[in-house]
């Protein structure tokens, strides 16, 4: 059961990374236009190079 | 944040659409915001962005499909008015929005706050669930205790942070000695934490940390959906309001100055230019013009205006500049007296209790009594306060309104989203539920069923030479009738005759010289004709009897379809207008409406709607004018088009963003479906409770059963709501 000593901190750390990533996406306005983002993926503009 | 998350009791529409704010300075970084009610797909996005980016002066344009908006970064001298035709040529309807009002919603603090709490609850519950699953699958003794302690260490701070909205709401309800949905929620969360801590300290088998967190997570999800739907509607409604900047031109010793309407006083001289709206009640001191009173009275015929005539705030000046002396300002204007009528009528509507409130009223006391009874019962039976408390907590957790909390917001979000895609904005939380009950539809005529723009009806009756002269005269004026006449004539391939020295005589018409003879196009008495009861412009050529160009108000797109759909659905359709008998009768005949009333005063409209309500009818009022506001507020539910006056939009529950009326009938259909889904959801939640509650009361519930019941019911309810999309 010593493995728990590693596994539990790791699982907590990974959960924390997920939370921080989510907070980052909220702060950078990535949920402002969910429908538009879903539709934009269908457009073939900027497929060859990223939008400047 | 406390105000937005109460479970659907913000009753007055005025709280949701706040009144126009004073004009604010445009920020340095020039941004133009356009509302695009017609966009719906990826092709629309790229086309709009391409068109806008190709326009000189535009630095960057980005479309937001969720809000149906385009945000444009542009050179300082570029106006929204320059871009709207560009989009209209590409086939997209566009309206200007105030970027100042938008920036308030972009950094939407309350929404983000809720989202953060939701995220913390979500991540904490995932971690705790992981530990709980190990406990359920057989961890025992010291391992189980350790897992429980770690769960407690995660759950306590996470709940202290993320469940705050519930604590705040429950406290504010308890303080005024009332029960709302949040009271049982908070009780369940707190009791679950306390008993679980106690159990953990005593190395007990069952801890409900995961249940407390999942509960918080699902409930926050419901709150967030609810908030998002309403915030989107609120911001858009505010944008519409922000379109009208209340400014006026005051004359002081013959010098013009721009002031805000609020600073005008009685006795001030106010200059109203053609196309402008009267800011105050007053008397015309000088100038001649015609007035469009349709927004106030529903009359389509412009009224001749000259010195001595009394004008009311809200009337539109059509042709010549007018100077008026203010006789009533601000609160005393007829416009505001109308708003008072609205306030009286509104108190009736706030009595409506939403389905969620009804459920909460039944539910909250029931749950408390059940939980208390099982506590007392078990204490008497076993004499062990620990067992009794554990069972009471299990009952509270299992009955906790997880699914109930999601039942309404999940459905309203899906339904509002669907209606928003069709160009309708649901402003009021219970509007959909009320719309579903409608059995009578009352329409206003001018500006609602008709578009408010005149249309020439008898082009074919005139000689070509007359049309040529009329076109030449019409093109010298910006009067709505002239504009319409010129457009019809041009479309028919008429070319203007060589009329010289054309001058517009404000309030009368246009005159000029054609082959040395005086020709006039304008009001009947000015051209020497007899006035009829139809909207008409008269053409007089020296030595001949004047001929009349007759106009009727053109039908709004989708009006016929909407009326037809309502009739097919078995609803009574009534037309009430302030316009003349003839005009109303003609329109009613065209649309096949049997029940119509003409020359109705604003009070008559409201009284008629009130009468219908007293007979037990559920009335949907569709109107746009100031004369409709009282009726809009008195009706069970109301809709106004985006072109409506500010006051009318504030008084109505739903705003139609596009120009087409046909989505209205569809909205009723969606509302009926939405209410059906809400009831289904309540039933689903009840069924889960019926199965799980006896287990909990009998003391057989484990944290696993609680987690299963809670998650499955919440997910079933959300999936059921998604069927509506």
């Amino acid at each position: 059961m010593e493995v728990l000593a590693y596994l539990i901190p790791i699982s907590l750390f990974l959960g924390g990374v997920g939370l921080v990533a989510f907070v980052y996406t909220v702060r950078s306005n990535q949920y402002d236009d969910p429908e538009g983002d879903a539709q934009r993926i269908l457009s073939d503009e900027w497929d060859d190079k990223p939008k400047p | 944040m406390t105000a937005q998350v109460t479970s659907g009791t913000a009753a007055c529409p005025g709280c949701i659409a706040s009144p126009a704010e004073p004009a604010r300075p445009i920020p340095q970084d020039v941004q133009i915001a356009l509302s695009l009610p017609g966009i719906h797909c990826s092709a629309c996005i790229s086309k709009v962005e391409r068109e806008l980016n190709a326009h000189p002066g535009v630095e960057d344009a980005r479309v937001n499909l969720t809000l149906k908006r385009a945000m444009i970064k542009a050179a300082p001298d570029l106006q929204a008015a320059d871009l709207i035709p560009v989009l209209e040529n590409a086939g997209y309807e566009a309206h200007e929005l105030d970027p100042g009002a938008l920036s308030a919603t972009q950094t939407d603090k309350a929404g983000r706050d809720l989202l953060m709490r939701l995220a913390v609850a979500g991540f904490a519950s995932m971690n705790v669930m992981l530990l709980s699953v190990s406990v359920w699958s057989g961890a025992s003794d010291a391992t189980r205790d350790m897992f429980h302690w770690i769960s407690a260490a995660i759950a306590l701070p996470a709940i202290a942070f993320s469940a705050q909205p519930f604590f705040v709401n429950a406290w504010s309800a308890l303080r005024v000695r009332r029960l709302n949905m949040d009271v049982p929620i908070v009780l369940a969360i707190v009791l679950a934490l306390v008993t679980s801590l106690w159990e953990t300290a005593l190395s007990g088998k069952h801890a409900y940390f995961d249940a407390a967190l999942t509960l918080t997570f699902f409930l926050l999800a419901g709150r967030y959906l609810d908030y998002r739907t309403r915030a989107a509607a609120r911001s858009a409604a505010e944008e519409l309001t922000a379109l009208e900047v209340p400014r006026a031109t005051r004359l002081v010793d013959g010098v013009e100055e721009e002031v805000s309407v609020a600073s005008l006083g009685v006795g001030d001289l106010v200059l109203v230019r053609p196309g402008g709206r009267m800011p105050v009640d007053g008397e015309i001191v000088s100038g001649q013009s015609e007035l469009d009173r349709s927004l106030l009275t529903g009359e389509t015929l412009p009224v001749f205006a000259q010195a001595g005539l009394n004008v009311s705030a809200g009337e539109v000046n059509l042709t010549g500049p007018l100077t008026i002396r203010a006789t009533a300002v601000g609160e005393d204007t007829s416009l505001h007296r109308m708003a008072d009528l609205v306030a009286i009528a509104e108190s009736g509507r706030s009595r409506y209790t939403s389905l969620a409130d009804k459920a909460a009223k039944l539910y909250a006391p029931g749950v408390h009594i059940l939980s208390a009874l099982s506590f007392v019962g078990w204490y008497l039976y076993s004499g062990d306060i620990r067992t009794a408390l554990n069972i009471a907590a299990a009952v509270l957790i299992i009955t906790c309104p997880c699914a109930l909390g999601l039942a309404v917001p999940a459905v309203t979000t899906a339904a509002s989203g669907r209606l928003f895609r069709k160009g309708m904005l649901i402003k009021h939380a219970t509007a959909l539920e009320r719309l579903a009950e409608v059995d009578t539809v009352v329409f206003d005529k001018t500006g609602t069923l008709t578009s408010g723009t005149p249309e020439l009806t008898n082009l074919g009756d005139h000689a070509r030479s007359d049309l040529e002269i009329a076109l030449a005269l019409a093109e010298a004026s910006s009067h709505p009738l002239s504009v319409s006449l010129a457009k019809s004539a041009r479309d028919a391939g008429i070319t203007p005759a060589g009329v010289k020295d054309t001058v517009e005589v404000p309030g009368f018409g246009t005159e000029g010289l054609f082959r040395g003879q005086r020709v006039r196009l304008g009001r009947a008495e000015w051209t020497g004709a007899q006035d009829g009861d139809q909207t008409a412009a008269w053409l007089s050529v020296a030595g001949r009897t004047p001929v009349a160009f007759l106009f009727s108000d053109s039908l709004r797109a989708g009006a016929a379809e909407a009326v037809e759909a309502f009739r097919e659905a078995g609803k009574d359709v009534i037309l009430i207008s302030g316009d003349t008998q003839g005009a109303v009768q003609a329109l009613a005949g065209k649309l096949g409406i049997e029940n119509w009333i003409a020359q109705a005063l604003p009070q008559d409209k409201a009284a008629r709607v009130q009468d219908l309500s007293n007979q037990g009818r559920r009335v949907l009022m569709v109107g746009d004018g100031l004369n409709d506001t009282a009726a809009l507020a008195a009706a069970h539910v109301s809709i106004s088009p985006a072109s409506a006056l500010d006051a009318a939009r504030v008084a109505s529950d739903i705003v139609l963003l596009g120009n087409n009326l046909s989505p209205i009938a569809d909205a009723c259909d969606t509302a009926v479906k939405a209410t059906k889904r809400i009831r289904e959801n309540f039933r689903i939640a009840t069924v889960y409770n019926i199965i799980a509650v006896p287990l909990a009361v009998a003391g057989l519930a484990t944290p696993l059963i609680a987690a299963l019941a809670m998650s499955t019911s919440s997910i079933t309810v959300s999936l059921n709501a998604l069927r509506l999309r």
Side-chain angles (χ1 to χ4, degrees), chain B residues 143-465:
Chain B
T143 322
R144 185 182 62 205
D145 285 351
M146 183 179 72
F147 281 178
H148 278 167
W149 280 119
I150 298 173
S151 303
I154 301 172
L156 287 177
I159 285 184
F161 172 69
S162 50
Q164 266 171 30
F166 305 116
F167 297 150
V168 171
N169 275 341
W171 173 240
S172 57
L174 283 178
R175 218 175 29 194
V176 291
R177 288 156 196 280
R178 281 184 52 202
L179 277 184
N180 61 9
M181 207 69 140
D182 290 327
V183 177
I185 292 172
V186 168
L187 200 64
I189 292 175
V190 170
L191 204 57
L193 287 181
V194 169
T195 55
S196 302
L197 265 182
W198 194 8
E199 282 293 294
T200 308
L202 296 172
S203 313
K205 261 177 86 179
H206 297 322
Y208 286 96
F209 293 116
D210 67 299
L213 270 170
T214 340
L215 186 66
T216 318
F217 174 71
F218 279 126
L219 289 170
L220 278 172
R223 291 290 152 92
Y224 182 66
L225 284 182
D226 195 36
Y227 174 81
R228 232 188 123 95
T229 319
R230 267 192 268 165
R234 194 169 38 232
S235 71
E238 271 169 10
E239 286 151 25
L240 287 174
T241 307
L243 285 178
E244 289 155 21
V245 185
R247 299 190 80 73
T249 312
R250 178 161 61 188
L251 288 175
V252 181
D253 304 327
V255 184
E256 294 176 14
E257 58 175 17
E258 282 273 309
V259 293
S260 81
V261 170
S263 64
L264 290 174
V266 173
D268 279 355
L269 286 178
V270 182
L271 179 72
V272 184
R273 296 205 171 79
R277 197 168 274 168
M278 302 292 163
V280 291
D281 286 3
E283 192 192 341
I284 299 177
V285 180
S286 66
Q288 270 177 348
S289 178
E290 280 184 309
L291 294 178
D292 178 0
R293 290 187 156 159
S294 63
L295 277 171
L296 276 102
T297 61
E299 290 168 66
T300 40
L301 233 70
V303 184
F304 176 64
Q306 62 179 355
L309 186 83
N310 285 320
V311 295
S312 313
E315 294 174 352
V316 177
N317 181 8
L318 287 179
T319 42
L322 289 175
T323 309
I324 58 173
R325 186 179 297 283
T327 53
V329 296
E331 303 280 297
D332 303 325
T333 59
S334 42
L335 215 144
H336 271 267
R337 284 202 299 278
M338 210 84 85
D340 291 344
L341 271 180
V342 174
I344 296 163
E346 213 147 69
S347 58
R349 190 187 296 165
S350 60
R351 281 199 294 270
Y352 181 84
T353 17
S354 68
L355 284 172
D357 286 350
K358 273 184 208 155
K361 233 172 237 163
L362 272 177
Y363 173 87
V367 168
H368 291 156
I369 291 167
L370 193 63
S371 169
L373 280 181
S374 37
F375 176 79
V376 172
W378 275 93
Y379 183 65
L380 291 178
Y381 172 72
S382 66
D384 180 11
I385 199 157
R386 182 176 153 197
T387 322
L389 200 60
N390 263 338
I391 285 168
V395 169
L396 265 185
I397 290 170
I398 286 202
T399 53
C400 208
C402 224
L404 286 185
L406 275 172
V408 178
V411 173
T412 40
T413 306
S416 308
R418 180 190 159 127
L419 290 178
F420 188 70
R421 277 193 294 278
K422 296 204 161 132
M424 302 195 86
L425 198 64
I426 315 292
K427 273 175 52 196
H428 200 276
T430 61
L432 277 175
E433 288 171 29
R434 283 183 275 126
L435 188 60
E437 300 173 347
V438 161
D439 56 13
T440 308
V441 187
V442 176
F443 280 105
D444 165 50
K445 184 180 85 74
T446 320
T448 306
L449 283 177
T450 64
S451 59
T453 48
E455 198 175 50
L456 184 61
T457 53
N458 64 343
L459 184 86
D461 300 354
H462 298 283
R464 196 175 177 90
S465 57

Side-chain angles (χ1 to χ4, degrees), chain B residues 71-86:
Chain B
M71 297 300 294
I72 300 142
K73 241 187 243 149
D77 56 337
L78 196 69
Q79 298 288 317
D82 304 329
L83 294 173
I84 290 173
V86 173

Side-chain angles (χ1 to χ4, degrees), chain B residues 702-721:
Chain B
T702 60
L704 179 61
I705 292 180
L708 278 179
M710 201 147 59
S711 314
T712 20
S713 65
S714 299
I715 291 167
T716 330
V717 160
S718 314
L719 288 179
N720 189 40

